[in-house]
Amino acid sequence: MQGSTVAQARSNAPRNPCSTMAKYENKLTLTIYSEKTMFWIKALHLIFVISWFAGLFYLPRILVNLAMEKETAATERLLVMARKLYRFMTILSVPAVVFGLWLWLGYGFGKGPGSGWLHAKLALVVLLIGYHHACGSLLKKFETGRNTRSHTWYRWFNEVPTVILVAITILVVVKPF
Protein backbone atom coordinates (compact mmCIF):
# COMPACT_ATOMS: atom_id res chain seq x y z
CA MET A 1 0.00 0.00 0.00
CA GLN A 2 2.82 2.35 0.88
CA GLY A 3 4.61 1.58 -2.41
CA SER A 4 1.55 2.47 -4.45
CA THR A 5 1.31 5.88 -2.69
CA VAL A 6 4.92 6.65 -3.58
CA ALA A 7 4.36 5.50 -7.18
CA GLN A 8 1.23 7.60 -7.39
CA ALA A 9 3.04 10.67 -6.04
CA ARG A 10 5.83 10.15 -8.58
CA SER A 11 3.35 9.88 -11.43
CA ASN A 12 1.71 13.16 -10.38
CA ALA A 13 5.03 14.98 -10.09
CA PRO A 14 6.16 17.04 -13.08
CA ARG A 15 8.56 15.24 -15.38
CA ASN A 16 10.99 18.11 -15.29
CA PRO A 17 11.50 19.46 -11.77
CA CYS A 18 12.62 22.76 -13.29
CA SER A 19 9.21 23.31 -14.92
CA THR A 20 7.72 24.23 -11.54
CA MET A 21 10.46 26.81 -11.13
CA ALA A 22 9.85 28.11 -14.65
CA LYS A 23 6.16 28.67 -13.85
CA TYR A 24 7.16 30.53 -10.68
CA GLU A 25 9.69 32.66 -12.58
CA ASN A 26 7.06 33.57 -15.20
CA LYS A 27 4.74 34.83 -12.45
CA LEU A 28 7.63 36.70 -10.86
CA THR A 29 8.62 38.26 -14.18
CA LEU A 30 5.03 39.28 -14.80
CA THR A 31 4.87 40.95 -11.38
CA ILE A 32 8.14 42.79 -11.97
CA TYR A 33 7.00 43.81 -15.46
CA SER A 34 3.71 45.16 -14.09
CA GLU A 35 5.54 47.04 -11.36
CA LYS A 36 7.98 48.50 -13.88
CA THR A 37 5.11 49.50 -16.12
CA MET A 38 3.36 51.14 -13.18
CA PHE A 39 6.50 53.19 -12.42
CA TRP A 40 6.66 54.33 -16.07
CA ILE A 41 3.01 55.33 -15.99
CA LYS A 42 3.58 57.19 -12.73
CA ALA A 43 6.61 58.99 -14.20
CA LEU A 44 4.69 59.98 -17.33
CA HIS A 45 1.77 61.15 -15.19
CA LEU A 46 4.11 63.40 -13.21
CA ILE A 47 5.83 64.75 -16.34
CA PHE A 48 2.54 65.72 -17.97
CA VAL A 49 1.09 67.14 -14.72
CA ILE A 50 4.18 69.31 -14.19
CA SER A 51 4.02 70.51 -17.80
CA TRP A 52 0.30 71.23 -17.52
CA PHE A 53 0.85 73.20 -14.32
CA ALA A 54 3.51 75.30 -16.04
CA GLY A 55 0.78 76.46 -18.42
CA LEU A 56 -1.73 76.92 -15.59
CA PHE A 57 0.77 79.16 -13.82
CA TYR A 58 1.72 81.19 -16.89
CA LEU A 59 -1.57 81.72 -18.77
CA PRO A 60 -3.25 83.68 -15.95
CA ARG A 61 -0.11 85.82 -15.76
CA ILE A 62 -0.60 86.66 -19.45
CA LEU A 63 -4.21 87.54 -18.59
CA VAL A 64 -2.93 89.96 -15.91
CA ASN A 65 -0.78 91.64 -18.56
CA LEU A 66 -3.69 91.73 -21.02
CA ALA A 67 -5.88 93.44 -18.41
CA MET A 68 -3.19 96.11 -17.90
CA GLU A 69 -2.19 96.61 -21.56
CA LYS A 70 -3.46 99.63 -23.50
CA GLU A 71 -1.38 99.32 -26.68
CA THR A 72 -3.08 97.40 -29.51
CA ALA A 73 0.09 95.77 -30.91
CA ALA A 74 1.13 94.51 -27.47
CA THR A 75 -2.39 93.24 -26.80
CA GLU A 76 -2.38 91.30 -30.09
CA ARG A 77 1.02 89.78 -29.29
CA LEU A 78 -0.19 88.73 -25.81
CA LEU A 79 -3.36 87.23 -27.30
CA VAL A 80 -1.31 85.13 -29.76
CA MET A 81 0.89 83.92 -26.89
CA ALA A 82 -2.15 83.12 -24.74
CA ARG A 83 -3.94 81.23 -27.54
CA LYS A 84 -0.88 79.10 -28.30
CA LEU A 85 -0.26 78.40 -24.62
CA TYR A 86 -3.90 77.45 -24.01
CA ARG A 87 -3.88 75.00 -26.94
CA PHE A 88 -0.58 73.48 -25.78
CA MET A 89 -1.61 73.12 -22.15
CA THR A 90 -4.91 71.53 -23.22
CA ILE A 91 -2.91 68.92 -25.13
CA LEU A 92 -0.73 68.34 -22.04
CA SER A 93 -3.73 68.00 -19.73
CA VAL A 94 -5.16 65.01 -21.59
CA PRO A 95 -2.29 62.54 -20.97
CA ALA A 96 -1.92 63.88 -17.41
CA VAL A 97 -5.53 62.92 -16.69
CA VAL A 98 -5.36 59.65 -18.69
CA PHE A 99 -2.22 58.41 -16.91
CA GLY A 100 -3.74 59.41 -13.56
CA LEU A 101 -6.90 57.45 -14.35
CA TRP A 102 -4.76 54.49 -15.45
CA LEU A 103 -2.97 54.50 -12.08
CA TRP A 104 -6.25 54.77 -10.23
CA LEU A 105 -8.37 52.29 -12.18
CA GLY A 106 -5.69 50.02 -13.64
CA TYR A 107 -3.45 49.61 -10.61
CA GLY A 108 -5.98 50.14 -7.85
CA PHE A 109 -4.45 53.26 -6.35
CA GLY A 110 -6.70 54.58 -3.63
CA LYS A 111 -8.85 51.51 -3.24
CA GLY A 112 -9.64 50.13 0.18
CA PRO A 113 -9.50 51.71 3.63
CA GLY A 114 -7.36 54.78 4.15
CA SER A 115 -7.88 56.09 0.64
CA GLY A 116 -9.86 59.22 1.43
CA TRP A 117 -6.85 61.25 0.30
CA LEU A 118 -7.40 60.06 -3.29
CA HIS A 119 -11.04 61.09 -3.30
CA ALA A 120 -10.04 64.55 -2.09
CA LYS A 121 -7.32 64.67 -4.77
CA LEU A 122 -9.81 63.69 -7.48
CA ALA A 123 -12.13 66.48 -6.34
CA LEU A 124 -9.24 68.94 -6.64
CA VAL A 125 -8.38 67.59 -10.10
CA VAL A 126 -11.98 68.22 -11.18
CA LEU A 127 -11.62 71.79 -9.85
CA LEU A 128 -8.36 72.12 -11.77
CA ILE A 129 -10.02 71.00 -15.00
CA GLY A 130 -12.73 73.59 -14.34
CA TYR A 131 -10.04 76.23 -13.75
CA HIS A 132 -8.41 75.24 -17.03
CA HIS A 133 -11.70 75.78 -18.87
CA ALA A 134 -12.29 79.05 -17.01
CA CYS A 135 -8.91 80.24 -18.36
CA GLY A 136 -10.15 79.44 -21.86
CA SER A 137 -13.39 81.30 -21.27
CA LEU A 138 -11.55 84.37 -19.96
CA LEU A 139 -9.22 84.25 -22.95
CA LYS A 140 -12.23 84.28 -25.30
CA LYS A 141 -13.54 87.37 -23.51
CA PHE A 142 -10.23 89.13 -24.17
CA GLU A 143 -10.31 88.05 -27.82
CA THR A 144 -13.78 89.50 -28.29
CA GLY A 145 -13.04 92.63 -26.26
CA ARG A 146 -15.58 91.78 -23.54
CA ASN A 147 -13.24 91.61 -20.53
CA THR A 148 -14.65 93.49 -17.53
CA ARG A 149 -12.23 92.34 -14.83
CA SER A 150 -9.25 94.26 -13.46
CA HIS A 151 -5.63 93.16 -13.39
CA THR A 152 -5.97 92.84 -9.58
CA TRP A 153 -8.72 90.24 -10.02
CA TYR A 154 -6.48 88.28 -12.42
CA ARG A 155 -3.62 88.43 -9.90
CA TRP A 156 -5.84 86.71 -7.35
CA PHE A 157 -7.15 84.30 -9.99
CA ASN A 158 -3.51 83.47 -10.77
CA GLU A 159 -3.05 82.04 -7.24
CA VAL A 160 -5.71 79.31 -7.58
CA PRO A 161 -3.48 76.66 -9.24
CA THR A 162 -0.79 77.24 -6.62
CA VAL A 163 -3.21 76.54 -3.79
CA ILE A 164 -4.53 73.44 -5.59
CA LEU A 165 -0.98 72.18 -6.26
CA VAL A 166 -0.01 72.56 -2.59
CA ALA A 167 -3.16 70.73 -1.48
CA ILE A 168 -2.70 67.88 -3.98
CA THR A 169 0.97 67.47 -3.08
CA ILE A 170 0.17 67.23 0.63
CA LEU A 171 -2.64 64.75 -0.04
CA VAL A 172 -0.48 62.49 -2.21
CA VAL A 173 2.66 62.56 -0.06
CA VAL A 174 1.21 62.66 3.47
CA LYS A 175 -2.05 60.74 2.79
CA PRO A 176 -3.69 62.32 5.87
CA PHE A 177 -6.90 60.25 5.63
Side-chain angles (χ1 to χ4, degrees):
M1 186 112 178
Q2 193 175 19
S4 68
T5 309
V6 172
Q8 190 177 18
R10 284 187 181 152
S11 68
N12 290 338
R15 292 186 183 170
N16 180 359
C18 294
S19 67
T20 310
M21 189 62 171
K23 287 179 186 174
Y24 175 74
E25 285 175 1
N26 285 340
K27 287 182 182 179
L28 185 64
T29 305
L30 181 62
T31 304
I32 291 169
Y33 176 75
S34 294
E35 208 171 288
K36 273 187 174 179
T37 304
M38 185 260 311
F39 287 130
W40 276 104
I41 294 166
K42 196 183 284 188
L44 290 169
H45 174 63
L46 284 171
I47 290 165
F48 283 105
V49 166
I50 291 166
S51 302
W52 181 28
F53 262 99
L56 290 171
F57 291 146
Y58 190 53
L59 182 61
R61 186 65 204 158
I62 294 174
L63 298 179
V64 169
N65 292 332
L66 278 166
M68 292 172 49
E69 191 58 59
K70 303 293 182 218
E71 191 179 314
T72 308
T75 300
E76 286 304 315
R77 186 173 48 252
L78 287 169
L79 282 172
V80 168
M81 288 171 54
R83 266 185 243 123
K84 287 181 178 181
L85 180 59
Y86 185 73
R87 265 187 253 130
F88 188 63
M89 62 189 248
T90 300
I91 291 168
L92 293 170
S93 70
V94 172
V97 171
V98 167
F99 286 125
L101 287 172
W102 191 347
L103 288 168
W104 175 40
L105 300 172
Y107 284 94
F109 276 58
K111 291 183 181 174
S115 61
W117 65 272
L118 183 67
H119 301 289
K121 177 195 172 190
L122 291 174
L124 290 171
V125 169
V126 169
L127 281 175
L128 200 61
I129 292 169
Y131 180 84
H132 178 104
H133 288 290
C135 286
S137 175
L138 292 168
L139 177 58
K140 285 180 185 174
K141 286 184 180 181
F142 274 108
E143 290 174 330
T144 58
R146 295 181 301 128
N147 176 53
T148 58
R149 302 186 192 275
S150 70
H151 68 91
T152 306
W153 187 89
Y154 286 105
R155 287 179 196 278
W156 284 105
F157 181 74
N158 190 30
E159 300 305 320
V160 172
T162 305
V163 172
I164 292 175
L165 177 65
V166 168
I168 287 175
T169 302
I170 290 169
L171 286 169
V172 171
V173 174
V174 179
K175 295 178 178 55
F177 47 89

